[in-house]
Amino acid sequence: MKTFKYISHALLTLVSLSLAHPGMGDTMAVVRREANKVKRAEAKVLIGDLRTLKDSQLTPIAKDIKAILLDQLDAESSVIDTSIPAGALGSTACKADLCCIWKWVSYEMTAKFNGTSGRCTKFARQAVRLGFHDAGAWSNTSSYGGADGSILLTDEISRADNNGLSAIADQMNSWYRKYSPYGVSMADLIQMGATVATVVCPLGPRIRSFVGRKDNTKAAPTGLLPGHLDSADTLIKLFAAKTIDAHDLVALVGAHTTSQQHFVDTARGGDPQDSTPGVWDVKFYPETTGSAAPRVLKFQSDINLSKDSRSAGEWKEFSNPTNGQDHWNEDYAKAYTRLSLLGVNNINELKECTKVLPPRRGSYVAEDQAILNIWLQGQFDQLNDLVDGAIMLTGVGAGGSGTVINP
Ligand code: HEM
Ligand SMILES: *[C@@H]1O[C@H](CO)[C@@H](O)[C@H](O)[C@H]1NC(C)=O
Ligand SMILES: *[C@@H]1O[C@H](CO)[C@@H](O)[C@H](O)[C@H]1NC(C)=O
Ligand SMILES: CC(=O)N[C@H]1CO[C@H](CO)[C@@H](O)[C@@H]1O
């Protein structure tokens, strides 16, 4: 019965897509993708309280989350509320509106995450990684850990796994001091930070954002985060125990498209993992498997994953310059939704505040590409910090604001 539902859904999608794209090559690619979807949906594992609750017991939001986890529903949304917040922080009007506080949080995060170049800042990229490192410290044998705020509520942040996250940790702690008196949990703040950051990065998906996670002041189990020297087999097994399959792992690791490392090779602090740090494009995938500019530093773990038979196929699909971006964004959004809910056992109580996220940007042109190109050749090390901060390198950019001296 279940199988029938998936297959008929896939067939319907197929029929409508073949009508929309009469090109035979396209249609065959779609056929393969839809057939894979059916297989994958069958293998998808439920998490938290969704494992035991019947459909009839689920709230509409929990039903949507379940459908996202089963690969039956998109996790991207363009629903946006551009009205001004219902009231000032702490006001009765703001307290009466669940997402009001999150609107204030989102404004503040967006300002911190968006650079004057329009690329996303180191705070944004660390926020995405922080979301992963809080939620990802969980496995299907853990009775605690996951997206529970413990990375910042305990001394977890000082573990070597979390090197490179200190700037966002300080910032997130400061936001927590400001917003927790109004009922915001650290767990939600961290996950909202990751989804706001993702959409602030140009081309990034606008991922549905749920709130209501509970905090935990017990440090997560150790040994559950990946290392940059890990083999593909180690990584695939590590993530499988988090209910994340090889396909979703390939999607998630694409977040390295925005990255600038500082601890893999300390002598090359600030060197990026593809030619466009701070941009949520798909260049990371082909540049990991193929040639890349001299300044690009590839992680061995990424190279290994790009080659394994269980992950290489998807790696190649995301590399496709024509439809790789949309395909990746869709898959990343679903996979991140799952990741952001690991260890969460009250999914049926969660609410949704996606509407507070800023709009996504579907295109991006770097006005300072000429100087970035020289930097990518390995010159001008003095620009590392500026690129990390997503600063416009050619002076005052379109959206930037210059300091006026002697007006
Ligand atoms: C396959 C397993 C993974 C490994 C081995 C890995 C390892 C690393 C390492 C070593 C860094 C550089 C840290 C530094 O030196 O400053 C990094 C950066 C980053 N990682 Fe991963 N990672 C993995 C998966 C993921 C996933 C699943 C996500 C998100 C969903 C993610 C998001 C990021 C981001 C956004 C950065 C950039 C941080 C910055 O620019 O400061 N990573 N990762
Ligand atoms: C945990 O995940 C692994 C990898 O998918 C699987 O082999 C194992 O059976 C799972 N264990 C539990 C308790 O669900
Ligand atoms: C981020 O900055 C760019 C360039 O300054 C601007 O075009 C864009 O609208 C900003 N994005 C948000 C969400 O504020
Ligand atoms: C197990 C495995 O495939 N390890 C490889 C990971 O990548 C590095 C460098 O790219 C290789 O040296 C390892 O053999």
Side-chain angles (χ1 to χ4, degrees):
M1 204 44 214
K2 246 187 177 170
T3 315
F4 176 72
K5 211 167 88 192
Y6 296 135
I7 293 178
S8 56
H9 169 80
L11 284 177
L12 269 178
T13 315
L14 252 182
V15 169
S16 45
L17 283 172
S18 356
L19 289 174
H21 304 278
M24 199 55 196
D26 281 4
T27 312
M28 286 319 291
V30 172
V31 169
R32 269 196 309 275
R33 208 173 131 198
E34 290 302 319
N36 280 338
K37 266 195 183 171
V38 175
K39 255 191 286 168
R40 293 183 49 226
E42 285 290 277
K44 289 287 179 182
V45 175
L46 288 174
I47 48 177
D49 47 333
L50 292 181
R51 284 174 307 166
T52 45
L53 292 170
K54 295 191 190 73
D55 278 350
S56 60
Q57 297 173 292
L58 299 182
T59 64
I61 290 174
K63 276 189 186 138
D64 275 9
I65 293 176
K66 181 171 177 176
I68 291 169
L69 294 174
L70 295 178
D71 207 5
Q72 296 161 342
L73 185 68
D74 197 352
E76 293 178 89
S77 166
S78 54
V79 174
I80 187 159
D81 174 5
T82 52
S83 65
I84 57 167
L89 203 59
S91 67
T92 312
C94 195
K95 280 181 186 152
D97 172 352
L98 169 83
C99 296
C100 175
I101 182 85
W102 287 108
K103 211 167 210 192
W104 290 116
V105 169
S106 171
Y107 288 166
E108 202 165 339
M109 287 178 164
T110 300
K112 196 79 194 172
F113 294 162
N114 200 10
T116 55
S117 62
R119 294 183 286 275
C120 55
T121 63
K122 66 176 179 187
F123 290 96
R125 283 133 34 200
Q126 290 183 22
V128 171
R129 186 163 175 243
L130 183 74
F132 163 43
H133 282 209
D134 190 36
W138 181 88
S139 87
N140 63 0
T141 58
S142 318
S143 57
Y144 62 99
D148 63 359
S150 66
I151 193 167
L152 295 178
L153 296 170
T154 71
D155 64 358
E156 250 177 84
I157 195 70
S158 60
R159 295 177 184 171
D161 282 338
N162 296 323
N163 278 348
L165 291 173
S166 63
I168 194 62
D170 291 348
Q171 180 59 69
M172 206 53 91
N173 282 325
S174 144
W175 283 331
Y176 181 70
R177 281 192 294 276
K178 180 168 175 183
Y179 294 105
S180 62
Y182 309 106
V184 165
S185 71
M186 182 67 101
D188 284 343
L189 199 59
I190 290 173
Q191 294 310 324
M192 188 64 84
T195 53
V196 170
T198 303
V199 74
V200 167
C201 297
L203 314 190
R206 201 162 173 280
I207 305 173
R208 289 181 69 177
S209 301
F210 305 100
V211 294
R213 294 173 189 78
K214 294 186 173 142
D215 282 344
N216 192 347
T217 51
K218 180 170 176 174
T222 55
L224 294 175
L225 291 171
H228 66 88
L229 299 174
D230 286 350
S231 68
D233 193 57
T234 299
L235 293 169
I236 289 170
K237 286 180 177 148
L238 183 72
F239 279 79
K242 303 182 197 304
T243 77
I244 294 170
D245 60 22
H247 171 286
D248 283 358
L249 170 56
V250 174
L252 287 170
V253 86
H256 290 166
T257 190
T258 62
S259 175
Q260 284 177 257
Q261 71 83 33
H262 290 88
F263 289 88
V264 170
D265 184 343
T266 49
R268 292 180 57 181
D271 280 3
Q273 278 56 72
D274 79 351
S275 59
T276 51
V279 182
W280 201 274
D281 58 15
V282 287
K283 290 192 177 155
F284 161 77
Y285 290 106
E287 290 182 11
T288 299
T289 44
S291 65
R295 192 179 283 282
V296 171
L297 189 159
K298 306 179 191 186
F299 298 156
Q300 295 198 351
S301 50
D302 290 335
I303 296 172
N304 291 345
L305 209 50
S306 74
K307 288 180 180 160
D308 190 276
S309 62
R310 292 161 287 183
S311 37
E314 208 57 27
W315 202 282
K316 198 162 170 237
E317 291 218 10
F318 294 147
S319 302
N320 185 324
T322 314
N323 60 15
Q325 182 80 49
D326 288 347
H327 180 187
W328 176 46
N329 280 11
E330 181 185 333
D331 290 2
Y332 182 91
K334 277 185 203 141
Y336 194 83
T337 301
R338 172 180 290 276
L339 177 59
S340 75
L341 293 169
L342 296 182
V344 176
N345 291 311
N346 64 333
I347 293 177
N348 207 27
E349 289 170 11
L350 299 184
K351 302 282 190 292
E352 178 165 14
C353 288
T354 307
K355 66 182 181 186
V356 306
L357 299 184
R360 85 172 281 263
R361 274 182 293 159
S363 65
Y364 176 71
V365 177
E367 289 174 37
D368 50 3
Q369 195 61 51
I371 193 162
L372 277 176
N373 285 341
I374 302 174
W375 178 76
L376 286 165
Q377 288 308 309
Q379 300 171 55
F380 295 169
D381 282 355
Q382 67 269 27
L383 292 178
N384 286 8
D385 285 349
L386 296 181
V387 180
D388 234 348
I391 305 296
M392 170 66 79
L393 299 175
T394 49
V396 181
S401 57
T403 306
V404 181
I405 302 167
N406 292 334

